[in-house]
Amino acid sequence: PHFRTFTDTFQTCKVQGAWPLIDNNYLNVQVTNTPVLPGSAATATSKLTIIFKSFQECVDQKVYQAEMDELPAAFADGSKNGGDKHGANSLKITEKVSGQHIEIQAKYIGTTIVVRQVGRYLTFAVRMPEEVVNAVEDRDSQGLYLCLRGCPLNQQIDFQTIRSAQGTEGRARRKGPSLPAPPEAFTYETATAKCREKLPVEDLYFQSCVFDLLTTGDVNFMLAAYYAFEDVKMLHSNKDKLHLYERTRDIVAGNT
Amino acid sequence: CKILKCNSEFWAATSGSHHLGTEEAPEFCTALRAYAHCTRRTARTCRGDLAYHSAVHGIDDLMVQHNCSKDGQLFCFRGSVLNKASDKFVSCSSCVLSQFSSYTHCGLFGD
């Protein structure tokens, strides 16, 4: 998937299997990513688990879990708020579009989370105060988690290289065994034209859209990029930084 | 090592609590958690410092005595919350961790 981290770095990563997105004293978020095509290095999010840890006399511990084709508008125990304590409503789930879009407000930690299912896969976006991001028991021994530190180098994909190769070839196919031919072959030109319909600014969301169409042929990924940018517009605190154009460059040479 | 600063903040926060009865436990626990948080922040520079290790053990004992959980509010104590930007206490409402000064965003999408 494509990641925009707390520090506005932007990466495209393999991160197949279960990975932590967020881990602090109040919140734990974990995703599971699966290959979009058999044998593909490109993965998308098929499962998401969010644990809101209990918060003194305010909210009980609550678990939210979404999977492919199952985006509930309730926590795992069936409730829609933080329990029975007096501050229970400082945590609540709102269904925006049935089965497609939910929003979780955790007011006690100033946090908003948006989860969507677009096509078969999930998207995630969060707005979180720096105080909460930094609320960890021991920062020195803080484990790796993707929203804070991004992907490990060996998990990063250099999609510019792939784009260049595809641009040269003029076809939506990669040489080599890692990415088989997508079901619907976009050329670079048809992919950019398709993405421009929803993403007129040629920023990294646009480029991600092109990458996804080229690697999968699934037009739902165009919508995923579009909604990811809509969520940034709603959740990002600095309106001057919505569009990103330069990717993080710390790629291992020859990684892809 | 800034353990004395942690000590004085804790005693300032709890001064006037001559008898910490059960009705005061939630607020006392909040102060204890803030105290524990402070000691953790200074842990690296305080290794081997007797006052530091005494404080850490003392906090653990008090946590048990007052049946305090280690999770929960850190900074909201007696209606006041530590504003990290100004390093001053300002009023807060219950069930709010802190008064937040700045926000970050993280997103994940696509393949």
Side-chain angles (χ1 to χ4, degrees), chain B residues 7-111:
Chain B
N7 292 350
S8 58
E9 282 178 355
F10 174 70
W11 290 117
T14 55
S15 62
S17 299
H18 301 296
H19 174 69
L20 293 163
T22 52
E23 71 282 1
E24 292 178 278
E27 290 194 337
F28 187 73
C29 289
T30 301
L32 266 181
R33 279 191 291 270
Y35 190 16
H37 181 72
C38 185
T39 61
R40 280 193 292 274
R41 288 204 307 191
T42 195
R44 175 160 286 202
T45 54
C46 285
R47 281 179 188 148
D49 185 292
L50 185 60
Y52 165 77
H53 291 286
S54 299
V56 170
H57 285 294
I59 291 167
D60 286 344
D61 290 344
L62 286 169
M63 285 267 189
V64 172
Q65 277 178 34
H66 291 269
N67 199 22
C68 300
S69 71
K70 290 192 174 178
D71 299 322
Q73 286 174 280
L74 268 180
F75 305 112
C76 195
F77 181 73
R78 291 184 181 167
S80 294
V81 65
L82 181 64
N83 183 321
K84 285 186 173 178
S86 64
D87 207 27
K88 291 184 176 151
F89 281 87
V90 294
S91 67
C92 64
S93 56
S94 63
C95 288
V96 175
L97 173 68
S98 180
Q99 292 194 335
F100 305 115
S101 51
S102 59
Y103 290 84
T104 58
H105 167 271
C106 173
L108 160 79
F109 68 98
D111 86 62

Side-chain angles (χ1 to χ4, degrees), chain A residues 2 56 58 108 124 126 128 147, chain B residues 33 95 97 104 106 108-109:
Chain A
H2 308 286
Q56 213 172 355
C58 298
Y108 63 104
F124 169 87
V126 63
M128 183 179 285
C147 277
Chain B
R33 279 191 291 270
C95 288
L97 173 68
T104 58
C106 173
L108 160 79
F109 68 98

